[in-house]
Amino acid sequence: MYLQSRIALAALLVLSAGVLVAAATISTPTNNESRHSSGSTRRLQEGEEENSSFLDSVSDFFFDEHCDRTEKDISNLSDLSDWMSTLDPATNLGDITLPGTHHSAAYVLSTKFNPNDAEYQAIQDASFGVDLPDKLIAPWVCRFALTQSLSIAEQLQAGVRYFDLRVDYDPETSTFRAFHLLFGLRIEDILVQMKEFISDHPTEIIVVEMTELLSPSATAGVKQNLAQTILDTFGSALLPASDSLPTVGDMQSAGTTVIVTVKDDDVNSFSELIWSSNGIRNTFANSVDLQTMIDYNQERLGEFGTASD
């Protein structure tokens, strides 16, 4: 059972038969800001050997050992926590434009690289044969690896209902974590924010897409832990996978207001409550300019045959 989707910086839900049933999602203005909330820091990797003192001195000279975003004032953040309560219950989920964010959880990152990320290898290749220690380049990388200025809870408050999570297994901590070049939050710490939100706002529907799972250490058995985390977190709120989409009213009345898709057969075959995302095409403007993002998403709306207003 597959839910085919297209994404214009979020998710466009399409039936597996290929019939267009939803509008492309549009990113919020917070999408590509590279700032960090107060107190969220990236610290250099621990456990360095004693003979790294010289490297420490060089690193401290050129880089601050913390990588903090500028403190963000969210006192004026719009409260769109219940915008889906105003929808006609007879509206099919596929006919709704869901606002979404790219690399949704990359608002808190460590300075520990995910060596499985292709971008990490690209950085190494660009060093012209110079073996640059991760300790030196991580503080620089984290400044552009951050993609969000709001936490998951704050994005939900701002109206975001589609979340793009890049997830991989970190064998050193034996946990699944979000990442964007650098490892970030544990998946449990991300999903619990969504769970708390839907508990407080039962009319709101959330779509979560998880992709990547690159680590060779993530065996089928290890991946079952990720599947179980999803099930344990959302429980009866998960909508069972299907070839069709229900109405908003049906989801709200049944309390099944969460769709989780995982682009990994070992995970999505674990339970019928986890959807496959093999049909999702993820596109984004790759720009920090607001007007560029708006224009790009308007073009995607036209491609997907939806209204542009």
Side-chain angles (χ1 to χ4, degrees):
M1 294 182 289
Y2 298 106
L3 172 66
Q4 290 187 337
S5 306
R6 294 174 180 174
I7 301 173
L9 237 174
L12 172 66
L13 305 179
V14 184
L15 294 180
S16 60
V19 179
L20 183 66
V21 296
T25 55
I26 303 175
S27 65
T28 61
T30 64
N31 190 46
N32 283 306
E33 299 176 22
S34 296
R35 290 170 287 179
H36 197 292
S37 60
S38 177
S40 297
T41 61
R42 324 293 173 289
R43 298 192 176 275
L44 295 174
Q45 300 177 48
E46 299 178 355
E48 297 290 333
E49 298 179 359
E50 293 181 359
N51 62 5
S52 66
S53 58
F54 175 74
L55 179 59
D56 290 339
S57 299
V58 174
S59 177
D60 292 343
F61 181 81
F62 287 104
F63 303 103
D64 187 341
E65 68 174 2
H66 303 101
C67 183
D68 298 335
R69 296 181 297 182
T70 303
E71 183 175 354
K72 184 174 181 64
D73 179 10
I74 62 169
S75 60
N76 294 322
L77 183 66
S78 298
D79 190 354
L80 299 174
S81 299
D82 299 293
W83 69 265
M84 300 190 82
S85 65
T86 64
L87 297 175
D88 182 348
T91 305
N92 189 276
L93 179 62
D95 294 328
I96 301 171
T97 298
L98 296 176
T101 48
H102 175 65
H103 273 294
S104 304
Y107 63 93
V108 174
L109 296 170
S110 68
T111 50
K112 176 184 177 181
F113 280 98
N114 179 0
N116 305 303
D117 191 325
E119 291 182 271
Y120 174 71
Q121 187 58 53
I123 291 174
Q124 297 297 316
D125 293 343
S127 65
F128 302 102
V130 179
D131 186 14
L132 295 175
D134 287 355
K135 186 180 180 72
L136 282 179
I137 60 177
W140 171 73
V141 167
C142 73
R143 286 166 169 76
F144 67 81
L146 294 167
T147 61
Q148 300 300 326
S149 59
L150 300 178
S151 69
I152 295 295
E154 291 162 349
Q155 291 177 47
L156 285 161
Q157 178 186 333
V160 173
R161 296 296 178 266
Y162 167 85
F163 295 89
D164 163 32
L165 300 181
R166 311 302 173 92
V167 181
D168 203 6
Y169 181 69
D170 178 8
E172 289 188 14
T173 61
S174 300
T175 58
F176 286 93
R177 303 170 66 180
F179 75 95
H180 184 204
L181 264 171
L182 305 165
F183 276 118
L185 292 172
R186 299 183 313 152
I187 193 64
E188 295 93 328
D189 298 327
I190 298 168
L191 300 185
V192 71
Q193 296 180 63
M194 301 176 185
K195 172 60 177 177
E196 292 173 352
F197 179 83
I198 62 170
S199 296
D200 294 335
H201 305 278
T203 63
E204 303 309 291
I205 296 169
I206 298 174
V207 177
V208 183
E209 181 193 6
M210 297 186 192
T211 58
E212 304 298 353
L213 292 174
L214 304 171
S215 174
S217 299
T219 63
V222 169
K223 291 175 185 177
Q224 289 184 5
N225 295 330
L226 174 60
Q228 195 61 56
T229 296
I230 296 169
L231 299 179
D232 291 344
T233 302
F234 294 116
S236 60
L238 289 166
L239 180 73
S242 174
D243 290 332
S244 61
L245 293 170
T247 66
V248 170
D250 287 342
M251 296 180 72
Q252 292 169 336
S253 61
T256 52
T257 55
V258 178
I259 293 177
V260 176
T261 75
V262 181
K263 195 172 183 179
D264 185 274
D265 291 341
D266 291 326
V267 179
N268 60 52
S269 63
F270 185 77
S271 170
E272 65 174 4
L273 297 175
I274 301 176
W275 296 62
S276 168
S277 61
N278 290 337
I280 288 181
R281 177 167 65 92
N282 194 331
T283 65
F284 67 106
N286 197 24
S287 172
V288 297
D289 180 70
L290 178 58
Q291 190 58 51
T292 298
M293 289 188 284
I294 292 173
D295 293 343
Y296 181 88
N297 286 325
Q298 291 294 337
E299 292 175 2
R300 301 292 80 70
L301 286 168
E303 287 180 3
F304 299 156
T306 61
S308 60
D309 53 1

